[in-house]
């Protein structure tokens, strides 16, 4: 840093006014005092490194990876994504980048299979869940007694590039549905992807249509700060029309990033060809810090407030009186204990009721079985008596028969004796 003359008021005795030309003006060799704070902060930040998290939402093959590669000179793409995923997924990649000794940890999350399903109603849900999950992780860290937010790896998404298909007409219903569900959770920068497929006039009309639709549906996109000149100008140019390419094409004597077509070369970094340079400047040069700031102060705060309110916490109690966190916690704990006790008693009561019911059922079943047994026993005894009676009658008939035979045949036969013997044995 350049040396600066010392900026201090020096008291000069009035009687020495005439000797002013003798006073030596000293210059400091380095900064001192509180003017060094910015330098300290810059040094600390560089030592710590920077991090930034981007979410890319857009249909398969719309140019998400190519744009990120063009912006950061990374190599995001591994292979072509399939169009046949049954649901939308998210792919997370982290890059450790270095630019003139400034380290940047860049995390890129991109959708996979977005817009490929027949029923697109649930396509936005994985995106919403991911955004909320990162807020929840931060909230959990914040609520810990031993928290370490200074070296916490913040995974909250700082900006969402929403890639709009270059249809030239209007937004699709899936675009509206997703944007409506994520606009309170993340800073959205809408982008018209593959803008080289639209003519200049079509592009301008398309941009106006999109902005009209976003406004009429009440969708909030990232508001670029108006105190910065370039950011203030951009609001009339949204959504930015981007073209991505890692290809080096020869234009005159220079090699430039571009896309080579039979009719000529589209230069990615030429502002009259597309808005890529505008996007790069707005994102990297001017608004990276503001995007992080908005994420924390606006979107995370909103999540935190809703989450704590859902848990039953409030800053004010009945009669709008302020309540301390401790009081609220105690009240909640008591309420929870009372509820547990109520539920325990209810369960006990239900258990006793069911035991009684079961006992009654068993008793009824036992009585029924006993009655059945008695009935069968009675039937069996009656059967025995009946059979006994029949046997007695048969034996009488046999005796009668032999008696009649003996009467018709006077001399005694051994057979008759045998029958008599049989009868005696049975008795
Ligand atoms: N015309 C044109 N083609 C592009 C542009 N950006 C990317 N492409 C091409 O589009 C194809 C898909 O690009 P990717 O960057 O892989 O798209 P993606 O959205 O990451 O694809 P998935 O990961 O498969 O969803 C590639 O052939 C790119 O060369 C662009 O701005 N204009």
């Amino acid at each position: 840093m350049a040396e600066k003359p010392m900026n201090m008021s020096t008291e000069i005795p009035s009687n020495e006014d005439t000797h002013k030309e003798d006073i030596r003006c000293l210059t400091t060799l380095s900064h001192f005092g509180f003017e060094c704070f910015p330098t300290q902060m810059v040094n600390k930040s560089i030592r710590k490194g920077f991090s930034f998290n981007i979410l890319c939402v857009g249909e398969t093959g719309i140019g998400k990876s190519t744009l990120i590669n063009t912006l950061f000179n990374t190599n995001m793409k591994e292979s072509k994504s399939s169009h046949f995923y049954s649901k939308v997924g998210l792919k997370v990649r982290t890059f450790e980048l270095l630019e003139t000794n400034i380290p940047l940890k860049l995390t890129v999350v991109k959708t996979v299979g977005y817009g490929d399903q027949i029923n697109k109603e649930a396509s936005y849900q994985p995106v919403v869940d991911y955004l909320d999950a990162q807020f929840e992780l931060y909230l959990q860290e914040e609520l810990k007694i031993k928290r370490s937010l200074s070296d916490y790896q913040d995974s909250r998404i700082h900006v969402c590039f929403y890639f709009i298909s270059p249809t030239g007409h209007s937004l699709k219903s899936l675009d509206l549905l997703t944007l409506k569900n994520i606009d309170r959770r993340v800073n959205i920068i809408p982008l018209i992807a593959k803008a080289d497929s639209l003519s200049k006039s079509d592009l301008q009309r398309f941009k106006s249509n999109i902005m009209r639709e976003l406004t009429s549906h009440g969708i909030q996109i990232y508001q670029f700060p108006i105190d910065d000149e370039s950011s203030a100008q951009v609001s009339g140019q949204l959504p930015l029309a981007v073209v991505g390419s890692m290809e080096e094409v020869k234009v005159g004597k220079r090699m430039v990033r571009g896309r080579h077509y039979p009719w000529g070369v589209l230069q990615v970094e030429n502002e009259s060809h597309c808005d890529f340079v505008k996007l790069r400047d707005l994102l990297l040069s001017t608004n990276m810090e503001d995007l992080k700031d908005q994420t924390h102060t606006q979107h995370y705060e909103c999540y935190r407030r809703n989450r704590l309110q859902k848990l039953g916490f409030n800053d004010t109690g009945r009669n709008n009186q302020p309540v301390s966190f401790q009081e609220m916690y105690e009240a909640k704990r008591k309420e929870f204990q009372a509820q547990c006790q109520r539920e325990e008693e209810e369960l006990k009561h239900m258990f006793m009721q069911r035991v009684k019911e079961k006992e009654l059922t068993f008793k009824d079943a036992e009585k029924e079985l006993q009655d059945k047994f008695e009935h069968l026993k009675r039937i069996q005894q009656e059967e025995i008596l009946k059979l006994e009676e029949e046997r007695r009658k048969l034996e009488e008939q046999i005796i009668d028969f032999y008696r009649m035979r003996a009467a018709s045949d006077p001399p005694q036969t051994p057979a008759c004796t045998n029958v008599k013997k049989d009868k005696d044995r049975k008795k």
Side-chain angles (χ1 to χ4, degrees):
M1 233 166 255
E3 283 178 13
K4 202 167 161 267
M6 196 170 74
N7 194 13
M8 288 176 80
S9 57
T10 319
E11 237 178 80
I12 303 164
S14 54
N15 58 347
E16 288 180 14
D17 273 358
T18 48
H19 306 294
K20 258 183 189 171
E21 62 273 11
D22 298 338
I23 295 167
R24 281 190 303 148
C25 204
L26 293 177
T27 54
T28 56
L29 294 175
S30 62
H31 289 271
F32 67 93
F34 57 78
E35 68 169 334
C36 300
F37 279 177
T39 321
Q40 287 178 31
M41 283 181 77
V42 168
N43 290 342
K44 189 179 165 196
S45 299
I46 292 174
R47 256 199 319 275
K48 201 174 152 208
F50 296 88
S51 69
F52 198 73
N53 306 326
I54 302 180
L55 169 68
C56 296
V57 181
E59 291 167 19
T60 307
I62 203 166
K64 300 182 287 294
S65 313
T66 311
L67 186 77
I68 294 294
N69 290 344
T70 320
L71 269 174
F72 294 97
N73 209 11
T74 50
N75 184 13
M76 170 104 193
K77 195 82 185 172
E78 299 119 14
S79 57
K80 254 188 185 172
S81 302
S82 158
H83 281 276
F84 300 104
Y85 288 114
S86 59
K87 56 182 183 184
V88 176
L90 290 163
K91 206 183 250 180
V92 185
R93 289 279 310 267
T94 301
F95 304 92
E96 306 274 353
L97 307 175
L98 195 71
E99 197 173 82
T100 49
N101 284 339
I102 308 292
L104 172 71
K105 187 170 181 189
L106 175 74
T107 302
V108 183
V109 183
K110 75 167 197 175
T111 54
V112 179
Y114 182 78
D116 288 336
Q117 295 74 32
I118 294 172
N119 182 358
K120 297 183 173 60
E121 254 174 52
S123 298
Y124 69 86
Q125 200 55 50
V127 181
V128 169
D129 291 347
Y130 184 84
L131 292 169
D132 283 352
Q134 310 321 305
F135 284 147
E136 185 62 30
L137 284 176
Y138 191 85
L139 181 66
Q140 291 303 328
E141 185 64 35
E142 226 183 29
L143 293 177
K144 274 184 191 169
I145 293 174
K146 259 182 141 183
R147 57 190 187 166
S148 52
L149 287 173
S150 55
D151 55 359
Y152 175 76
Q153 287 299 324
D154 191 0
S155 57
R156 294 173 298 173
I157 296 294
H158 302 124
V159 68
C160 165
F161 287 161
Y162 192 89
F163 289 75
I164 300 164
S165 296
T167 59
H169 297 286
S170 55
L171 289 168
K172 297 179 184 178
S173 51
L174 174 61
D175 298 330
L176 291 170
L177 196 64
T178 305
L179 288 168
K180 204 142 186 55
N181 278 285
I182 61 171
D183 69 345
R184 310 289 144 119
R185 294 175 161 90
V186 68
N187 299 310
I188 299 170
I189 299 186
L191 302 175
I192 296 175
K194 299 189 177 178
D196 50 335
S197 51
L198 291 171
S199 72
K200 262 200 165 158
S201 53
D202 282 348
L203 194 60
Q204 214 39 57
R205 219 172 305 124
F206 190 34
K207 281 187 175 189
S208 315
N209 288 353
I210 291 170
M211 287 316 283
R212 214 174 305 121
E213 269 186 285
L214 290 177
T215 315
S216 71
H217 285 89
I219 292 166
Q220 273 182 20
I221 57 170
Y222 173 62
Q223 296 299 310
F224 288 94
I226 42 169
D227 47 354
D228 173 66
E229 201 185 313
S230 60
S231 300
Q233 279 171 2
V234 83
S235 56
Q237 296 165 23
L238 288 172
L240 297 177
V242 291
V243 174
S245 175
M246 291 301 279
E247 214 181 311
E248 295 268 331
V249 188
K250 194 164 186 187
V251 176
K253 284 181 185 165
R254 289 183 307 129
M255 291 303 282
V256 293
R257 282 261 168 86
R259 300 189 77 85
H260 207 158
Y261 293 105
W263 41 261
V265 172
L266 187 138
Q267 297 173 38
V268 170
E269 286 164 286
N270 185 327
E271 287 197 56
S272 61
H273 289 189
C274 71
D275 299 332
F276 174 82
V277 173
K278 230 166 271 162
L279 173 69
R280 192 179 58 193
D281 288 350
L282 286 170
L283 180 76
L284 305 180
S285 311
T286 30
N287 295 306
M288 228 168 174
E289 200 45 46
D290 185 64
L291 285 160
K292 289 179 90 168
D293 213 43
Q294 290 295 316
T295 303
H296 186 73
T297 55
Q298 191 186 333
H299 302 299
Y300 172 67
E301 270 309 303
C302 180
Y303 176 84
R304 183 182 167 278
R305 189 173 51 242
N306 290 340
R307 184 83 170 78
L308 291 181
Q309 273 171 356
K310 259 189 208 154
L311 287 174
F313 291 101
N314 249 321
D315 291 336
T316 51
R318 277 179 221 139
N319 313 326
N320 259 355
Q321 292 295 315
V323 190
S324 76
F325 192 82
Q326 176 70 23
E327 282 170 350
M328 184 67 74
Y329 173 75
E330 280 301 324
K332 281 277 138 204
R333 203 169 63 90
K334 276 186 191 144
E335 196 181 303
F336 179 69
Q337 277 175 344
Q339 192 186 340
C340 280
Q341 199 151 355
R342 259 198 319 276
E343 277 176 15
E344 196 181 320
E345 267 157 28
E346 238 166 68
L347 274 175
K348 261 188 205 165
H349 182 71
M350 261 168 63
F351 178 73
M352 295 307 289
Q353 194 94 4
R354 289 194 66 182
V355 167
K356 268 184 197 158
E357 276 171 19
K358 280 277 165 211
E359 260 177 18
L360 274 179
T361 325
F362 284 140
K363 268 185 190 159
D364 285 351
E366 194 183 343
K367 193 170 174 300
E368 206 175 299
L369 273 176
Q370 188 66 31
D371 288 352
K372 220 176 191 175
F373 174 72
E374 293 295 335
H375 178 69
L376 286 174
K377 205 167 140 189
R378 219 177 306 121
I379 290 174
Q380 192 202 23
Q381 276 172 354
E382 281 169 12
E383 284 286 314
I384 290 170
L385 284 175
K386 224 186 267 174
L387 284 172
E388 287 281 340
E389 181 62 23
E390 269 174 29
R391 197 180 73 177
R392 196 182 56 76
K393 277 182 188 166
L394 271 175
E395 279 174 357
E396 277 175 11
Q397 279 174 3
I398 291 168
I399 292 168
D400 285 349
F401 170 75
Y402 282 118
R403 206 175 285 145
M404 275 163 64
R405 229 176 85 178
S408 65
D409 193 9
Q412 263 199 342
T413 60
C416 184
T417 328
N418 283 346
V419 171
K420 190 117 178 44
K421 273 182 192 166
D422 273 359
K423 198 182 163 189
D424 290 344
R425 216 182 304 133
K426 275 172 192 166
K427 276 179 182 174

